[in-house]
Amino acid sequence: MDAIGFEGSSSPGFTKAQVDEILNPAECTIVSSLPNEHVDSYVLSEPSLFVFPYKIVIKTCVSTKLLLSISALLKLVESISLIVQSTRYTRGCFIFPSAQSYPHRSFTEEVSVLDGHFEKHGLASKE
């Protein structure tokens, strides 16, 4: 996941417990964090997470099941009255694609999962 953009009245300002709730399905944890006035940065066990007032950026590598966190993330975003305005997803090439688990076994599978979450926001992929 590259980014999810928001429209809302204020910065998400997630608590550690809220970030943990988002990350649990992806099977990763916070290693360290560094907030400042512009962004809350989190180094995670595999990926990194950046929470800006207007977007969330998640960068991943190796075997984190990042897409499994989208449901928890969207639930949290909606609970604080933010509106998902945009999404961006990019995917690199895996060195060992056969070692990946659902939903990261293929780009088609990933797009299907993303569309399942974002179609209701009017943000399905362009085919």
Side-chain angles (χ1 to χ4, degrees):
M1 174 68 52
D2 271 358
I4 299 176
F6 305 111
E7 180 181 298
S9 59
S10 64
S11 167
F14 299 142
T15 65
K16 181 186 180 304
Q18 289 170 318
V19 173
D20 285 338
E21 188 175 324
I22 293 168
L23 299 174
N24 283 339
E27 300 177 7
C28 59
T29 57
I30 298 171
V31 174
S32 67
S33 64
L34 180 63
N36 67 36
E37 63 201 54
H38 304 289
V39 62
D40 294 341
S41 309
Y42 299 89
V43 175
L44 308 176
S45 50
E46 286 186 23
S48 296
L49 170 68
F50 305 94
V51 180
F52 294 88
Y54 54 90
K55 71 179 173 182
I56 293 177
V57 177
I58 306 171
K59 290 296 200 180
T60 190
C61 58
V62 191
S63 60
T64 302
K65 300 169 189 136
L66 191 58
L67 296 183
L68 298 179
S69 289
I70 293 175
S71 183
L73 176 60
L74 291 176
K75 182 178 175 182
L76 176 59
V77 164
E78 291 169 6
S79 76
I80 58 175
S81 301
L82 293 176
I83 299 166
V84 177
Q85 189 175 37
S86 64
T87 61
R88 178 180 165 186
Y89 182 76
T90 59
R91 180 189 204 264
C93 295
F94 290 114
I95 296 172
F96 300 105
S98 61
Q100 302 305 312
S101 60
Y102 176 84
H104 298 283
R105 296 175 295 204
S106 71
F107 184 68
T108 302
E109 184 174 71
E110 292 169 337
V111 169
S112 176
V113 168
L114 290 164
D115 281 348
H117 288 292
F118 292 107
E119 281 178 332
K120 64 184 169 197
H121 298 281
L123 300 170
S125 62
K126 298 173 186 160
E127 296 186 35

